[in-house]
Amino acid sequence: MTIVAEKNFNGDAFPTREPTNISRRRFLLASAGATAGALVIGFGLPVRPARAQGAPAAVPGTQVPAFLEIRPDSTVRLLSPFIEGGQGTFTAMAQIVGEELDADPAGFLVDSAPPGKEFVVMANGMRITGGSMSVRFGYPAMRRLGALARAMLLQAGAQRFGVPVADLTTEPGRVVHRASGRSLSYGELAAQALDLPVPDPDSVKLKDPSQFRWIGQPVPRVDAFDKSTGKVIYAIDVRVDGMLHAAVQHAPRLGMTIGAVRNEDQVKAMKGVHSVHHLPGAVAVVAERWWHAKRAAEALQVDWLEPAADSPLRIMPADFSTEAFRERLANEPGQGDEAEKEGDAEAALKSAHTVVNATYASQYVNHAQLEPPSALARFNDDGSLEVWLPNQAPDMFRADIAKRAGLDPEKVVLHSPMLGGFFGRHFLYDSANPYPQAIQLAKATGRPIKLIWSREEEFLRDVLRPMAVARFRGGLDESGVPVALDVVSATEGPTEGISNKQGDKIDPTAIEGLAGKAYAIPHRRIAQLYVKTPAMLGYWRSVGNSMNDFLYESFLDELADKGGQDPYELRMRLLKGNERLSNLLRAVGEMSGGWKRGPFTAEDGTRRARGVAMASPFGSHAAVIAEVSIERGQVKVHDIWEAIDPGSIVNPAIVKAQVQGAVALGLSQVLLEETVYENGIPAARNYDLYPILPPDRMARVHVRVIESGATMGGIGEPPLPAVPPAVANAVSHLTGQRIRTMPLSRYRFDV
């Protein structure tokens, strides 16, 4: 296959047709995919019969959990089962494998593995990058992979030196025979090791954590240099020979169809235009350059028809308004289906000294990632279809592409470039991805097509985080301590939204952050009242926790107010006996210089207050204290202190970076972000009307990572959910105005 290249701004050529990490140009594989004499773990390439025997396929991390190559120059190339999108997964995978392999992670070249069941390494049988699962669920298999590779190198060294394997050891990148002082690099042994069978996975011994050299250390990011020098190639950057560009104009509301295009002939005559195409719910222009395609697509005058009654799509009504829908959720009758029940909440409420009723709401939000959606599709002469697109689940996408194209999955080659951010945007959302259109256009034109959605089209078709309205009833005893809690959340979960129906069981993504809280309130009932929303729903960073912890933790503060309790001390009381969470809450109090609720006057003369909140998503636990003031009627967040306990960690520098990023998104959500619909159309089609957190509103972030030694939890999403309620609680303390909905830009404050 011919490699197509173009020059970047540094004048370097980069290839864009092979499924490799095209930013690391010095280490490109040959057309077979490997360098001569390389040790390859896995069946990404043909393997010799001797190597194919021995390792049971049922054990993740042995047959093909990853594609590991050790080259003659001792460079290590790893195909990661998980996608990199800024969260540090490639670095973590290099650390984990490198630890057991005894190879410096700094010498790793990491790429995304292609689709294939052989790359499923998580015990749950899934292969997605999301749910903060990659490191914690991939950890055992990737350690075993490194250990197996090291064992094979030791066997090759034993043959070369003519000594028993037991007489050998390794130092980073080398097999060493200490008795004679001889050693060989991994690269020198790779070719010989290739002929050896894979050892029985039960025969390899993993390191004791006390021996770790790289796991637990702030190893530098393996992708940092290429990102900082502009060498990383995202899907939007990829080019292939003979490629045309495409842009689309979507129907203003989902489900609408094309009636007529009044000026189609004039648009076809515009500069650079190749052709105009009618797609389901959209018109597309194909051109030599994307800018020409975009200008032409915007110029098309389309008469859109209302959706058909039998449309399979979730139809957006012409009169849909988010404000009206919020009111509907708030007044929806019914007590919902129970997700959690402890004791008798109804009876306890009737006998409570004080009953507090309040309704809280969360807003729709867009993903609003900076990388616009794009896809490149090419039909090859051999009947195969190649697609380049950002995604978080390669196998799911390949299966869907094959189905749409009418091809066997083996005839579909899916490339998964590095992502320009995750946020849950890159899952299999039927109407919110450009690749079906790119495939259709490539088939129609007979040319490779790169389709990019403009920012305006992205905002029009993005799936949203759900809206929820939760009705709370809390019962307090004579001392003001909560004894009963009843919550009914009127919402549709994102998983329900994606499947377009209510399931037989409650969607856990609808109620996580409401159910499962650790506070010792003896009588609890948590329920979901299913209400289908017209908007297309999807996963958003930290999923249900991102909205539900705001609802729950804010109401808990309201209960503290009504009961005359300090909110920090009340949480500590309700966590009595829970050593892990008590330690976490105590730690964040110490970080902040000692808990003080306020209001108080800071050294600069501003009037300030603090709020506290906790969250326990994805196997980790977090506690946050926020300090705020009011500036020109709006909230200014000065400091966020966050203590997080993920059990155990791989890279503390990445953990801290993830906390800082999650805090930024949490602040953006609570202060500014909201998706508003009027007359069935989103009011915002770009960042001018959908503001995200600007640099001058970012708080100082203070992070403490607590390794309790518990089972490893996630880190990409857990730091976010406690941030919004901590900020809202601080504002309520400062202003005396109870905050029951986001974003805070809805309010104007005076102090």
Side-chain angles (χ1 to χ4, degrees), residues 125-181:
M126 300 175 69
R127 186 186 169 199
I128 66 170
T129 306
S132 295
M133 290 191 289
S134 301
V135 173
R136 58 175 171 146
F137 290 163
Y139 186 77
M142 302 311 284
R143 284 187 68 188
R144 186 165 49 238
L145 169 70
L148 286 169
R150 179 177 178 271
M152 294 171 71
L153 288 162
L154 285 169
Q155 291 174 24
Q159 292 179 356
R160 186 77 64 88
F161 291 135
V163 299
V165 170
D167 290 352
L168 299 177
T169 187
T170 60
E171 293 177 355
R174 302 190 72 82
V175 171
V176 178
H177 183 240
R178 288 201 175 121
S180 65

Side-chain angles (χ1 to χ4, degrees), residues 259-606:
V261 181
R262 298 192 300 276
N263 63 338
E264 186 166 338
D265 289 339
Q266 294 94 314
V267 170
K268 287 179 178 178
M270 290 177 67
K271 180 180 179 180
V273 170
H274 174 277
S275 50
V276 175
H277 302 264
H278 295 205
L279 305 174
V283 286
V285 174
V286 173
E288 295 294 335
R289 298 177 59 190
W290 185 76
W291 184 249
H292 292 152
K294 177 180 183 294
R295 293 287 297 274
E298 291 172 344
L300 287 167
Q301 299 172 6
V302 186
D303 294 327
W304 297 102
L305 300 179
E306 288 297 319
D310 60 350
S311 172
L313 300 173
R314 180 175 291 212
I315 296 171
M316 172 59 69
D319 61 351
F320 177 68
S321 129
T322 43
E323 284 302 310
F325 190 66
R326 189 191 305 267
E327 285 299 313
R328 179 194 164 184
L329 292 178
N331 294 288
E332 189 74 11
Q335 292 303 305
D337 299 316
E338 290 179 353
E340 178 179 300
K341 182 177 174 61
E342 185 72 28
D344 190 337
E346 193 62 38
L349 284 165
K350 289 178 180 177
S351 62
H353 181 268
T354 305
V355 175
V356 181
N357 295 278
T359 299
Y360 281 74
S362 68
Q363 76 279 40
Y364 287 126
V365 289
N366 279 88
H367 290 92
Q369 79 284 352
L370 293 180
E371 179 188 17
S374 66
L376 194 160
R378 177 180 64 189
F379 287 92
N380 297 314
D381 293 340
D382 62 1
S384 65
L385 168 62
E386 280 188 275
V387 180
W388 288 258
L389 76 149
N391 71 87
Q392 294 178 235
D395 296 271
M396 294 172 62
F397 274 84
R398 183 177 69 165
D400 187 73
I401 290 167
K403 182 179 179 181
R404 290 177 184 274
L407 295 173
D408 186 283
E410 298 304 315
K411 299 292 286 183
V412 175
V413 180
L414 175 63
H415 306 290
S416 303
M418 196 175 292
L419 301 182
F422 274 92
F423 318 116
R425 177 62 181 90
H426 302 292
F427 282 115
L428 201 63
Y429 305 127
D430 184 59
S431 59
N433 281 305
Y435 68 89
Q437 297 171 341
I439 293 168
Q440 188 171 343
L441 293 171
K443 188 173 184 178
T445 61
R447 298 270 296 275
I449 295 291
K450 180 160 77 172
L451 171 63
I452 301 173
W453 284 2
S454 68
R455 187 71 64 195
E456 289 74 17
E457 299 305 316
E458 155 68 353
F459 269 85
L460 188 61
R461 283 293 177 266
D462 188 13
V463 291
L464 308 178
R465 187 192 68 181
M467 180 189 294
V469 174
R471 302 194 295 265
F472 286 87
R473 291 187 297 156
L476 306 175
D477 64 14
E478 294 84 351
S479 61
V481 174
V483 293
L485 179 67
D486 182 88
V487 187
V488 179
S489 177
T491 190
E492 179 179 25
T495 302
E496 293 169 325
I498 294 168
S499 62
N500 204 22
K501 63 180 180 180
Q502 184 179 17
D504 296 332
K505 298 180 180 179
I506 291 177
D507 179 358
T509 62
I511 46 82
E512 57 189 2
L514 292 174
K517 298 289 280 191
Y519 301 118
I521 300 174
H523 302 281
R524 305 184 304 278
R525 178 183 184 271
I526 312 296
Q528 180 200 4
L529 182 59
Y530 175 80
V531 182
K532 190 171 184 176
T533 176
M536 293 296 293
L537 302 180
Y539 303 115
W540 199 82
R541 189 172 181 175
S542 73
V543 200
N545 297 91
S546 68
M547 59 183 185
N548 289 330
D549 278 299
F550 164 79
L551 305 173
Y552 190 109
E553 292 285 321
S554 298
F555 181 68
L556 185 59
D557 251 49
E558 187 164 353
L559 289 181
D561 286 346
K562 299 295 185 181
Q565 302 285 320
D566 177 90
Y568 179 91
E569 296 300 334
L570 176 63
R571 284 173 172 81
M572 193 65 78
R573 177 170 179 166
L574 294 175
L575 293 173
K576 187 177 180 180
N578 189 322
E579 183 178 0
R580 187 179 182 188
L581 292 187
S582 296
N583 288 342
L584 191 67
L585 183 57
R586 193 174 296 112
V588 78
E590 293 170 355
M591 287 172 63
S592 66
W595 164 253
K596 54 179 179 179
R597 179 183 183 184
F600 56 89
T601 302
E603 292 182 0
D604 63 359
T606 56

Side-chain angles (χ1 to χ4, degrees), residues 710-728:
T711 301
M712 184 182 291
I715 197 59
E717 293 163 289
L720 187 149
V723 173
V727 171

Side-chain angles (χ1 to χ4, degrees), residues 653-664:
I654 290 177
V655 172
K656 289 185 178 180
Q658 284 288 285
V659 173
Q660 291 163 342
V663 167

Side-chain angles (χ1 to χ4, degrees), residues 610-622:
R610 291 181 178 179
V612 62
M614 301 185 76
S616 298
F618 303 102
S620 294
H621 303 274

